[in-house]
Amino acid sequence: MTATGAAPRPRVPAVLVLEDGRTFRGFAFGAVGETFGEAVFSTGMTGYQETLTDPSYHRQVVVMTAPHVGNTGMNDEDQESGRIWVSGYVVRDPSRVASSWRARRGLEEDLTAQGVVGIGGVDTRALTRHLRERGAMRVGIFSGTAIAGDAAMLARVRATPGMAGADLANEVSCARPYVVPAVGRRRFTVAALDLGMKSMTPRRMAERGIEVHVLPATATAEQVEALEPDGVFLSNGPGDPDTADLSVVRAALDRGTPVFGICFGHELLGRALGFRTYKLKYGHRGINQPVQDRATGKVEITAHNHGFAVDAPLDGTAVTPYGRAEVSHVCLNDDVVEGLVLLDRPAFSVQYHPEAAAGPHDARHLFDRFAALMEG
Amino acid sequence: MPKRADIRSVLVIGSGPIVIGQAAEFDYSGTQACRVLRAEGLRVILVNPNPATIMTDPEIADATYIEPATPEFVEKIIARERPDALLPTMGGQTGLNTAIALHETGVLKAYGVELIGADADAIRKGENRERFKAVVEAVREKIGHGESARSVICHSMDEVLAGVGRIGGYPVVVRPSFTMGGAGSGFAHDEAELRRIAEVALTLSPTSEVLLEESIMGWKEYELELMRDKNDNVVVVCSIENLDPMSVHTGDSITVAPAMTLTDREYQILRDIGIAVIREVGVDTGGCNIQFGVDPATGRVIVIEMNPRVSRSSALASKATGFPIAKIAARLAIGYTLDEIPNDITGETPASFEPTLDYVVVKAPRFAFEKFPDADRTLTTTMKSVGEAMAIGRNFPQALNKALRSLEKRDAPFAFDDAGGGPGDRDRLLEAARRPAEDRIAVVMRAIRAGAGREELFEATKIDPWFIDQLFLIKEIADELADAAELGPELLAHAKRHGISDAQIAAIRSVSEDDVRRTRHELGIRPVYKTVDTCAAEFAARTPYFYSSYDDESEVAPRTRPAVIILGSGPNRIGQGVEFDYSCVHASFALHDAGYETVMVNCNPETVSTDYDTSDRLYFEPLTLEDVLEVVHAEQQAGPVAGVVVQLGGQTPLGLAQALKDNGVPVVGTSPEAIHLAEDRGAFGGVLARTGLTATEHGTATSFTEAKAVADEVGYPVLVRPSYVLGGRGMEIVYDEERLSAYIAESTEIGPERPVLVDRFLDDAIEIDVDALYDGAEIYLGGVMEHIEEAGIHSGDSACVLPPLTLGGETGRLRASAEAIARDIGVRGLINIQFALAGDVLYVLEANPRASRTVPFVSKATAVPLAKAAARISLGATIAQLRSEGLLPPRGDGGTLPPDAPISVKEAVLPWSRFRDPSGRWTDTLLGPEMRSTGEVMGIDSIFGTAFAKSQAAAYGALPTKGRVFLSVANRDKRTVVFLARALADHGFSLLATAGTAEVLRRHGIEATVVRKHSEGPGPDGEPTVVRLIHEGRIDLIVNTPYGADGRVDGYEIRTAAVARGVPCLTTVQALAAAIQGIDALTGGEVEVRSLQEHSRRLTAAR
Ligand SMILES: Nc1ncnc2c1ncn2[C@@H]1O[C@H](COP(=O)(O)OP(=O)(O)O)[C@@H](O)[C@H]1O
Ligand SMILES: Nc1ncnc2c1ncn2[C@@H]1O[C@H](COP(=O)(O)OP(=O)(O)O)[C@@H](O)[C@H]1O
Ligand SMILES: [Mg+2]
Ligand SMILES: [Mg+2]
């Protein structure tokens, strides 16, 4: 146990201001100051460390629906990247201690150290209901001396850019290529485009004998081809898929290299196939989402973190520039397309997170499917 | 692919009487299952001998058999009904055991009945600890996680003793196979303890099998609730963390949902193991509960056990999440898959998901040790609690504080004022906190207040440091409240957000609770109500299932129809159990049908009343004045409120009546003033005087001198008790002055404000219970019950029969008396009156101006829904009106049943086998004026003997029809026993007796072998004592009525041996007389079974 000690009351006041003018009051949690981003809510009851360090949350202010956050502190193993990415953090009851045999630090310690502005003591359920009804929107958190008059704070929120049209991959991608070696015998080589990839993803591949060459988001089709990969992997990541460059995907499809995309990577594959992507009203963010595999009828409980989705016909086969495609997976809550598969070429993708972290392991076998595709 | 077409009728086995470890949660689950199956168009056949359940209401199943859930009786039902399938997973351990027995004896096969939900193999794999270890091993091989505690299976004491070394030495856990609620299990720290525990365990296990296991005391304990469908889709419905670490039974632990102290990584490991276990065990369609121990230092996971059925935890998980496990399990059993079943709460999304919570749920157990003063109060692997309360809050402190005040025990909520001196000595408190006990959390809080540190508290209790910090947080808020110059809005809101009650704040600040409330309301600090919606607000919820929190936004929707708020009965306890929930649920149904919007307030997760389907709105809230006033306020904001019903939930809501009225809340039905007339002994004396009825000679006293004066005047023996109690709490028959003095000295409940009542004790009187409805003008006699045991044995513990066997001529007198009392008090609704007939004098023992424990029994026995009628009368309907509507019969009542009406017997079930004293001896089993039964069963038949025999079979196992009877009776019973002994001899029983009893029998020409008393020890040639004979299984029936002080020890040894061996033991001659009639019936020919619907059709036709 690391006891960070009880923060004394009264705590530094903080205010959360939504772009439609609704405000919530609470106290500063983490760094004191101001921050902006897109307000989204996440319904996972475990896995805040993974969420915070997931690059897909870049530029988002995450509202936790679970009231107690930080109970198990922060450890050195569960980081999904080298830093916290959320631009702001909203909780109801932050923990005062970190209790876990793996904990190294308290959550608030990390937030403060990394300058992440958060707010505690908020009626997070009211806020979540608001976002559910009105949709994801811009938000600002102001604490300490950053607190100003309501109108002034609202104006500052409205002056920030929205998520639609945001091209963020470059901001979160690795600066230089690196290799994650296969565990045991190397069976395949994969070029993985890092659009905001979580660290669990290459690990899941490596476990299956895949040597993963992680490339920056700026990598060109030629750079990928130079690796002579057995497969191309398109990672998750933040931002609007409409802004993304499709040349790497298209090149891989043209060559017939097996392609596997997750989340943002799925949206890219969708676009490469000629489907439209669109912004969901309030996204899927949680680790309890039922996704049905349309081929087997089986339902998996999966981890989601997406604000955009692919618009593809649920039934029947669509004809795309790369042959016939089908929607392979669908979310049973709202019929959102959760997976695509090409029938004539070795490519498939899912909108959700088979690497989990955080979340259930039900969909891990998709990495086996990728390996099988590469096997031919 | 939806529902199976090949199943058209299903037999559901209920769990039988409420016992420790198997309680009202099975009524909740079973009711859900039956309703769902019926809604699917299946014919539902139900067997459950427990009348106090909603599931045994005639509307819930097509054919309801209030018959013993034993293999013999269930076979008769199968033969009659020929169901296609049997659903064994709704009736707890009873359901599984009966189903397995029917499978093994080939009955199911012979009648072509398929086990659905879980097949025999899955049940055995889950329930047999040895086979389950193999399951865990297989899982470990597949996924690399999970292991079992080291253990050895033993079938004899020698194997047990030899086994200790093989699992690494003491301490060890001893656990019998195939028992529920951990009956017979425990920790052994040395050989003596091991011998003692293992001996009992070997006896209790139906397969004489015990598991000796390595102890992992102090590890974190978790539970997962899982569901699986036939397509192998699996979801985890809920995780539950035990605040009390391993060694305290989950049923006795404070538990929290969701898990609070696991990272996602560790949680997913438990989830992976859980899924692999359910697959490996092969629960194809349905739910199961899996328990884990997690080493707090390393995260190593041990799988403790799994239950392949719905359970107490699944009921809790259903209430905690809004995901109705039993309902969905029933659908899965008949062929649906999870994705085909809608989530009721959202209406749009499917059941194939995992609920996510944006609140915290805390369950706290309720114990009844005060009823069993000799019992060992240390909490261990055997469940000892009799009920539980659940609370929902937006954080853990709020939920915990709400749960503790929901328990309705004076000492349960944290105390911060030092009225009783300081918190105590830090070191002593730390030492006390090591021992798990009912009040451990309070001890921990006191230790914190006395300056104990976090680490030392963790070391002493192994309670997770996160929980300990939350307790520190609560304590810090209490300090702030104490130190603040005034109660400012920020501090007050902060305290309320953490669940500190107005009463607690008042105590801390030495002001009145009303003052705190007034200040709070002036500052506009009131709770809002949030919805339990399964999805943390991701989707809109359709079901108004609320809990309070101090937050910004309320979700209570406005309404136009007038609302009636029904106050439930809180946690189950001895004296106030599921019967009261039954009445509340009926009120809700009846008032909904009458056009009201029904609003239920209750905090008991086991019950049907807290199913979100039962009422139009549900508030899962404590039943304290503060919490109820806030609910009333919220509902008054939402629309018109016709009133609050306090009459049906037992003493809990009744106790709030006056205060609610004082706060301007409309209380419907019998007024608080009228309630006082019945409840206050002095006032009630006035009622009896005005109506010319007879009370026993009595007086009240606040000191020994006063008590002695009363006793001298009315004569010994006297019955003494504190005023204002339920269930005969603290009640005692006192035979002499010495004991009277001791009683007054021992009783803590007595003081100038709380006098003790001294009554002449009526010897040899017949006790009679009457339930009646009164509407201000007319009386409807619901039923007259004649007790089998004489007055002096609490009505809740006594068997009774309806219609009365020997009181036919008294009905007129009883009706007139009941009417006079009801009129004088001013009852509007139900009243229960207890009479005692001594010689020719009819005494009135007491009147309860509310629904009584016997309402469901009477309703079922006479096919009239009394609680529904009472609810309607409370809101202004008349008996005449209800007769014309058909809710009451057109003419006649429960006092004028047709001559061929069925005979119903109610028998009480006592928890003797649960309690042992600290040295391991069982507690005595004598009945007295203090109620100690946990539940009841009903036997119904056309003749008394058969009805009684059925009640015995349902409660304790069948009466023997041959073999050896041991008799040992008190002098005063010796005359009566002669005839009874002769009847037994005529049935071919061989008789054994102690010397005195044998002599009396011999003089009457009845042969009885003399056996040695326990106090005499074995004879010169090794002749065994009776106790030895019982232990060796050589006695089939025991008759032992208590006699004077010298016989007490012998009696104790005999009765406790009977408990240990499970031999039927009768402790009154009246019970023996009834048993003989039962034996007559059993040997006289085939015992038939008949459904309640058939009984009631006949009754209606004859009316
Ligand atoms: N090996 C053990 N060491 C310490 N405590 C144990 C052990 N096994 C079980 N327990 C405790 O005993 C309780 C009851 O055991 P369990 O196997 O769940 O029996 P039941 O069938 O009665 O629920 C558990 O909840 C746990 O707290
Ligand atoms: N005067 C009496 N003589 C004999 N038995 C009595 C007398 N008064 C009460 N009892 C016995 O004590 C039991 C409990 O008393 P009662 O007044 O009904 O208390 P409670 O409120 O707990 O039901 C009764 O059921 C009855 O058997
Ligand atoms: Mg258990
Ligand atoms: Mg009574």
Side-chain angles (χ1 to χ4, degrees):
Chain A
M1 175 183 68
T2 3
T4 52
R9 270 187 0 100
R11 302 189 58 157
V12 179
V15 186
L16 179 150
V17 181
L18 290 167
E19 72 169 283
D20 66 1
R22 185 150 181 196
T23 50
F24 289 84
R25 281 169 204 279
F27 52 81
F29 176 48
V32 175
E34 65 177 24
T35 191
F36 302 93
E38 182 189 37
V40 297
F41 62 85
S42 171
T43 64
M45 296 185 287
T46 51
Y48 59 83
Q49 179 167 359
E50 291 88 332
T51 298
L52 287 167
T53 55
D54 177 348
S56 292
Y57 283 106
H58 178 47
R59 292 251 313 259
Q60 289 178 328
V61 170
V62 175
V63 182
M64 298 298 282
T65 64
H68 286 288
V69 177
N71 304 6
T72 50
M74 298 290 272
N75 60 49
D76 291 340
E77 298 93 47
D78 298 349
Q79 297 281 101
E80 280 305 311
S81 70
R83 55 168 275 201
I84 295 176
W85 284 101
V86 304
S87 62
Y89 206 36
V90 186
V91 303
R92 192 178 187 282
D93 287 272
S95 181
R96 314 192 304 169
V97 296
S99 172
S100 164
W101 61 96
R102 297 199 291 125
R104 294 284 168 274
R105 306 168 298 284
L107 167 58
E108 185 158 23
E109 240 175 291
D110 268 15
L111 290 172
T112 311
Q114 299 191 33
V116 180
V117 173
I119 180 172
V122 169
D123 186 347
T124 44
R125 182 170 168 90
L127 176 52
T128 302
R129 278 161 47 92
H130 191 76
L131 295 175
R132 177 187 84 207
E133 297 304 320
R134 311 288 171 88
M137 62 179 86
R138 287 170 293 168
V139 67
I141 301 174
F142 306 83
S143 57
T145 52
I147 297 179
D150 286 356
M153 292 190 290
L154 183 57
R156 299 206 15 101
V157 172
R158 289 190 176 154
T160 58
M163 194 52 82
D167 180 3
L168 304 177
N170 292 325
E171 298 179 19
V172 298
S173 182
C174 57
R176 258 176 294 284
Y178 62 92
V179 176
V180 178
V183 177
R185 187 176 67 85
R186 187 186 72 188
R187 296 167 62 208
F188 310 103
T189 307
V190 160
L193 211 53
D194 177 5
L195 309 166
M197 186 158 57
K198 289 159 66 186
S199 49
M200 186 58 80
T201 310
R203 215 175 302 162
R204 288 280 167 259
M205 289 193 266
E207 282 168 7
R208 286 159 174 82
I210 298 174
E211 180 176 282
V212 188
H213 292 253
V214 182
L215 303 176
T218 50
T220 61
E222 293 70 36
Q223 283 166 326
V224 171
E225 201 170 341
L227 292 170
E228 295 179 15
D230 300 309
V232 171
F233 176 81
L234 310 169
S235 84
N236 64 298
D240 186 339
D242 240 4
T243 60
D245 171 34
L246 301 173
S247 55
V248 170
V249 200
R250 289 196 171 121
L253 290 170
D254 284 334
R255 276 197 318 276
T257 312
V259 173
F260 178 26
I262 286 179
C263 199
F264 195 75
H266 157 82
E267 292 156 8
L268 295 194
L269 179 66
R271 284 196 48 230
L273 299 183
F275 298 119
R276 190 179 73 88
T277 54
Y278 64 101
K279 193 159 171 19
L280 295 167
K281 188 169 175 195
Y282 55 90
H284 293 180
R285 289 177 191 85
I287 57 177
N288 66 338
Q289 303 271 335
V291 165
Q292 186 163 44
D293 181 331
R294 310 191 84 213
T296 61
K298 278 210 52 158
V299 182
E300 284 164 359
I301 306 302
T302 56
H304 287 214
N305 171 19
H306 62 104
F308 292 87
V310 175
D311 184 10
L314 284 188
D315 292 311
T317 306
V319 178
T320 77
Y322 299 98
R324 292 167 305 147
E326 272 176 5
V327 170
S328 59
H329 293 82
V330 63
C331 181
L332 293 178
N333 284 340
D334 53 8
D335 287 341
V336 164
V337 171
E338 292 291 340
L340 291 168
V341 63
L342 273 181
L343 303 183
D344 304 318
R345 277 168 214 247
F348 71 107
S349 62
V350 288
Q351 181 72 72
Y352 53 97
H353 290 266
E355 80 284 5
H361 301 149
D362 294 11
R364 266 188 191 174
H365 61 91
L366 292 177
F367 291 101
D368 296 321
R369 184 183 293 183
F370 186 34
L373 267 191
M374 293 190 283
E375 200 112 354
Chain B
M1 185 196 39
K3 191 173 85 189
R4 284 173 58 171
D6 58 335
I7 301 179
R8 269 173 312 246
S9 59
V10 180
L11 173 65
V12 177
I13 304 182
S15 67
I18 304 296
V19 293
I20 292 177
Q22 200 164 281
E25 62 271 13
F26 294 103
D27 186 27
Y28 161 67
S29 300
T31 303
Q32 279 199 341
C34 292
R35 279 179 163 175
V36 160
L37 295 174
R38 271 195 103 183
E40 290 293 342
L42 301 181
R43 176 173 165 80
V44 176
I45 302 131
L46 170 69
V47 51
N48 187 358
N50 184 347
T53 52
I54 295 295
M55 79 187 296
T56 53
D57 269 348
E59 305 83 56
I60 302 291
D62 295 278
T64 308
Y65 286 87
I66 301 204
E67 302 283 2
T70 58
E72 303 73 48
F73 279 91
V74 176
E75 178 174 358
K76 290 177 199 281
I77 295 165
I78 290 176
R80 233 175 152 231
E81 295 281 351
R82 307 303 298 260
D84 296 325
L86 190 166
L87 183 60
T89 51
M90 299 292 155
Q93 201 69 46
T94 306
L96 293 187
N97 289 352
T98 299
I100 286 285
L102 291 167
H103 170 82
E104 280 171 357
T105 53
V107 171
L108 298 183
K109 196 158 176 214
Y111 289 98
V113 182
E114 179 186 341
L115 272 181
I116 56 172
D119 64 19
D121 199 49
I123 295 173
R124 288 202 207 95
K125 271 194 203 157
E127 295 283 320
N128 178 303
R129 297 204 183 262
E130 193 169 11
R131 295 193 59 183
F132 186 63
K133 280 177 58 181
V135 166
V136 174
E137 204 36 56
V139 162
R140 184 178 182 75
E141 259 155 43
K142 282 198 187 118
I143 67 167
H145 290 291
E147 58 194 283
S148 296
R150 277 184 294 169
S151 65
V152 282
I153 299 282
C154 310
H155 292 92
S156 69
M157 188 58 77
D158 289 341
E159 287 178 32
V160 167
L161 295 175
V164 176
R166 289 171 47 202
I167 57 167
Y170 294 102
V172 296
V173 189
V174 185
R175 306 204 287 180
S177 296
F178 277 103
T179 65
M180 76 214 159
S185 69
F187 287 93
H189 297 86
D190 54 41
E191 183 175 327
E193 222 172 354
L194 180 62
R195 279 180 181 276
R196 200 189 73 221
I197 299 174
E199 182 176 333
V200 177
L202 284 165
T203 344
L204 284 182
S205 165
T207 51
S208 287
E209 176 181 296
V210 304
L211 187 81
L212 214 57
E213 198 172 272
E214 130 189 50
S215 162
I216 55 166
M217 236 181 211
W219 286 25
K220 291 149 80 85
E221 183 161 3
Y222 292 92
E223 292 172 80
L224 292 187
E225 296 298 324
L226 290 91
M227 306 228 57
R228 181 177 185 222
D229 69 19
K230 64 170 190 228
N231 285 357
D232 192 26
N233 297 317
V234 186
V235 295
V236 176
V237 176
C238 189
S239 62
I240 302 176
E241 175 160 358
N242 287 221
L243 179 137
D244 295 289
M246 287 287 294
S247 92
V248 179
H249 197 277
T250 54
D252 288 351
S253 295
I254 293 178
T255 63
V256 186
M260 287 284 131
T261 67
L262 287 180
T263 66
D264 185 66
R265 243 184 232 212
E266 277 83 37
Y267 172 71
Q268 296 304 337
I269 289 173
L270 299 191
R271 186 179 180 279
D272 287 347
I273 296 172
I275 292 175
V277 165
I278 196 171
R279 288 190 172 135
E280 190 67 32
V281 166
V283 176
D284 291 333
T285 56
C288 83
N289 155 274
I290 306 184
Q291 281 164 250
F292 302 90
V294 176
D295 185 343
T298 63
R300 194 179 135 207
V301 178
I302 281 186
V303 185
I304 306 164
E305 68 149 354
M306 79 103 73
N307 293 303
R309 54 171 169 85
V310 304
S311 61
R312 178 180 48 260
S313 300
S314 74
L316 183 72
S318 301
K319 301 290 166 70
T321 60
F323 186 104
I325 291 177
K327 198 170 182 176
I328 290 177
R331 285 229 168 89
L332 299 181
I334 55 166
Y336 286 99
T337 55
L338 284 163
D339 53 298
E340 290 170 342
I341 303 170
N343 174 349
D344 288 349
I345 295 220
T346 64
E348 293 167 11
T349 58
S352 55
F353 81 114
E354 301 192 344
T356 185
L357 279 51
D358 57 3
Y359 49 84
V360 179
V361 174
V362 172
K363 173 219 77 173
R366 161 114 192 185
F367 296 88
F369 289 118
E370 68 279 6
K371 300 256 175 190
F372 306 94
D374 299 335
D376 179 9
R377 299 183 172 212
T378 306
L379 302 183
T380 167
T381 55
T382 304
M383 183 170 160
K384 296 175 179 174
S385 62
V386 295
E388 59 194 29
M390 178 182 114
I392 312 177
R394 282 276 279 155
N395 56 22
F396 171 76
Q398 191 201 4
L400 176 67
N401 280 318
K402 278 167 99 174
L404 294 178
R405 68 177 183 263
S406 297
L407 288 174
E408 278 181 71
K409 279 209 160 182
R410 215 172 341 140
D411 299 333
F414 294 126
F416 302 105
D417 57 310
D418 285 334
D425 175 66
R426 176 180 156 283
D427 292 343
R428 289 246 293 283
L429 288 164
L430 271 172
E431 195 48 42
R434 289 183 183 277
R435 184 180 77 109
E438 168 173 13
D439 64 343
R440 175 159 73 174
I441 190 132
V443 172
V444 171
M445 182 57 84
R446 280 212 298 282
I448 292 174
R449 295 181 53 228
R454 293 156 194 263
E455 280 77 14
E456 50 192 4
L457 275 166
F458 171 69
E459 193 275 323
T461 63
K462 293 292 189 284
I463 295 174
D464 191 278
W466 187 83
F467 291 116
I468 289 179
D469 176 63
Q470 295 287 305
L471 297 177
F472 270 85
L473 173 59
I474 294 171
K475 183 254 178 193
E476 288 158 24
I477 296 171
D479 287 348
E480 274 190 76
L481 285 167
D483 297 344
E486 64 156 12
L487 210 49
E490 208 219 341
L491 175 57
L492 189 53
H494 187 60
K496 298 311 285 182
R497 276 171 90 92
H498 292 84
I500 311 215
S501 68
D502 291 352
Q504 281 168 311
I505 297 172
I508 292 171
R509 298 191 59 90
S510 306
V511 295
S512 79
E513 183 182 340
D514 285 343
D515 287 339
V516 173
R517 191 144 41 242
R518 198 169 315 114
T519 309
R520 184 162 65 72
H521 288 171
E522 277 163 15
L523 292 170
I525 301 171
R526 283 192 178 263
V528 296
Y529 292 87
K530 301 280 188 193
T531 314
V532 170
D533 65 2
T534 72
C535 61
E538 185 176 358
F539 305 100
R542 303 195 306 181
T543 41
Y545 171 6
F546 300 124
Y547 64 94
S548 65
S549 85
Y550 283 81
D551 262 316
D552 297 353
E553 184 181 272
S554 196
E555 298 172 23
V556 175
R559 57 174 163 68
T560 48
R561 278 194 300 161
V564 177
I565 299 172
I566 301 162
L567 302 186
S569 58
N572 281 356
R573 64 208 85 165
I574 290 176
Q576 187 168 305
V578 64
E579 305 84 0
F580 295 93
D581 197 66
Y582 173 93
S583 291
C584 293
V585 169
H586 271 231
S588 179
F589 291 164
L591 294 174
H592 175 88
D593 290 346
Y596 295 97
E597 190 117 341
T598 56
V599 179
M600 183 70 68
V601 187
N602 199 3
C603 54
N604 182 344
E606 303 175 349
T607 58
V608 177
S609 69
T610 53
D611 187 346
Y612 61 77
D613 261 0
T614 295
S615 300
D616 294 312
R617 294 180 176 198
L618 167 64
Y619 286 82
F620 213 108
E621 288 289 299
L623 289 158
T624 70
L625 181 63
E626 170 185 347
D627 298 287
V628 172
L629 284 175
E630 295 297 348
V631 170
V632 172
H633 174 77
E635 279 300 323
Q636 282 172 334
Q637 299 294 301
V641 171
V644 179
V645 176
V646 299
Q647 261 185 16
L648 303 176
Q651 214 64 19
T652 299
L654 208 65
L656 292 176
Q658 187 63 52
L660 287 174
K661 183 163 182 191
D662 295 346
N663 280 277
V665 175
V667 174
V668 297
T670 308
S671 70
E673 294 74 17
I675 292 170
H676 176 79
L677 279 183
E679 293 275 301
D680 181 87
R681 196 57 195 265
F684 188 62
V687 172
L688 294 183
R690 281 195 295 278
T691 50
L693 297 170
T694 317
T696 47
E697 296 87 328
H698 71 278
T700 58
T702 56
S703 66
F704 168 65
T705 331
E706 285 176 33
K708 175 175 152 24
V710 179
D712 287 344
E713 189 172 327
V714 305
Y716 288 93
V718 290
L719 191 72
V720 291
R721 65 177 121 174
S723 43
Y724 267 102
V725 294
L726 183 74
R729 179 78 208 96
M731 205 161 181
E732 197 173 309
I733 302 165
V734 170
Y735 289 88
D736 52 36
E737 197 175 307
E738 196 188 328
R739 182 61 209 144
L740 183 64
S741 147
Y743 177 88
I744 306 270
E746 285 161 17
S747 180
T748 52
E749 307 266 334
I750 296 168
E753 296 288 290
R754 310 176 138 256
V756 59
L757 308 176
V758 183
D759 273 72
R760 178 162 87 84
F761 178 73
L762 300 170
D763 242 327
D764 255 345
I766 299 175
E767 186 162 349
I768 303 158
D769 243 288
V770 170
D771 283 314
L773 292 166
Y774 190 69
D775 63 4
E778 193 184 343
I779 188 147
Y780 179 95
L781 215 52
V784 176
M785 287 150 276
E786 177 176 350
H787 287 209
I788 291 176
E789 283 85 3
E790 73 221 49
I793 287 171
H794 195 276
S795 54
D797 287 356
S798 174
C800 71
V801 52
L802 180 164
L805 286 187
T806 65
L807 298 173
E810 298 291 346
T811 311
R813 191 148 59 132
L814 290 167
R815 182 195 307 279
S817 306
E819 180 166 11
I821 292 172
R823 182 185 315 116
D824 194 81
I825 290 177
V827 168
R828 295 289 179 280
L830 271 164
I831 182 167
N832 162 265
I833 306 172
Q834 283 155 32
F835 297 95
L837 189 62
D840 202 33
V841 185
L842 186 66
Y843 292 91
V844 180
L845 296 183
E846 66 156 351
N848 297 307
R850 53 166 171 80
S852 71
R853 198 174 297 120
T854 42
V855 162
F857 169 71
V858 175
S859 299
K860 270 159 209 177
T862 64
V864 174
L866 291 179
K868 286 186 177 172
R872 292 290 308 281
I873 293 171
S874 291
L875 283 138
T878 63
I879 287 173
Q881 195 180 333
L882 297 178
R883 284 190 193 275
S884 69
E885 275 182 30
L887 199 60
L888 293 176
R891 62 198 153 270
D893 65 11
T896 60
L897 292 174
D900 59 349
I903 312 269
S904 298
V905 173
K906 185 208 82 176
E907 176 61 289
V909 178
L910 288 130
W912 307 128
S913 66
R914 286 275 144 185
F915 294 111
R916 283 183 283 163
D917 71 11
S919 63
R921 291 156 43 99
W922 301 94
T923 59
D924 202 354
T925 66
L926 284 181
L927 300 176
E930 167 151 11
M931 177 171 168
R932 282 175 297 182
S933 59
T934 54
E936 69 213 32
V937 294
M938 170 166 167
I940 179 166
D941 205 276
S942 48
I943 58 167
F944 171 71
T946 320
F948 183 81
K950 283 178 174 180
S951 75
Q952 300 305 298
Y956 300 112
L959 288 169
T961 50
K962 57 178 190 304
R964 298 155 174 243
V965 182
F966 168 76
L967 297 149
S968 176
V969 299
N971 283 339
R972 58 180 210 142
D973 294 325
K974 284 194 173 135
R975 285 184 184 197
T976 333
V977 86
V978 171
F979 301 97
L980 300 171
R982 176 162 295 134
L984 287 170
D986 290 348
H987 273 295
F989 284 94
S990 48
L991 307 186
L992 286 72
T994 43
T997 307
E999 190 183 311
V1000 175
L1001 294 179
R1002 197 163 41 246
R1003 292 211 183 108
H1004 288 87
I1006 304 166
E1007 245 351 282
T1009 315
V1010 177
V1011 288
R1012 301 179 70 84
K1013 291 185 178 177
H1014 182 70
S1015 53
E1016 294 164 354
D1021 301 320
E1023 296 92 338
T1025 65
V1026 57
V1027 172
R1028 191 73 252 143
L1029 289 176
I1030 296 171
H1031 277 301
E1032 287 170 7
R1034 289 158 66 188
I1035 307 269
D1036 303 291
L1037 178 65
I1038 297 163
V1039 180
N1040 177 242
T1041 67
Y1043 39 94
D1046 49 324
R1048 204 167 281 158
V1049 180
D1050 276 299
Y1052 167 84
E1053 293 293 345
I1054 291 168
R1055 292 184 293 268
T1056 54
V1059 169
R1061 281 297 317 190
V1063 183
C1065 178
L1066 305 168
T1067 59
T1068 62
V1069 283
Q1070 293 89 348
L1072 174 60
I1076 289 173
Q1077 294 197 51
I1079 292 167
D1080 284 345
L1082 291 177
T1083 49
E1086 185 70 358
V1087 172
E1088 285 183 4
V1089 293
R1090 184 174 290 167
S1091 73
L1092 203 57
Q1093 288 81 359
E1094 292 168 80
H1095 281 299
S1096 88
R1097 264 197 301 279
R1098 290 181 174 217
L1099 198 55
T1100 312
R1103 266 187 176 128

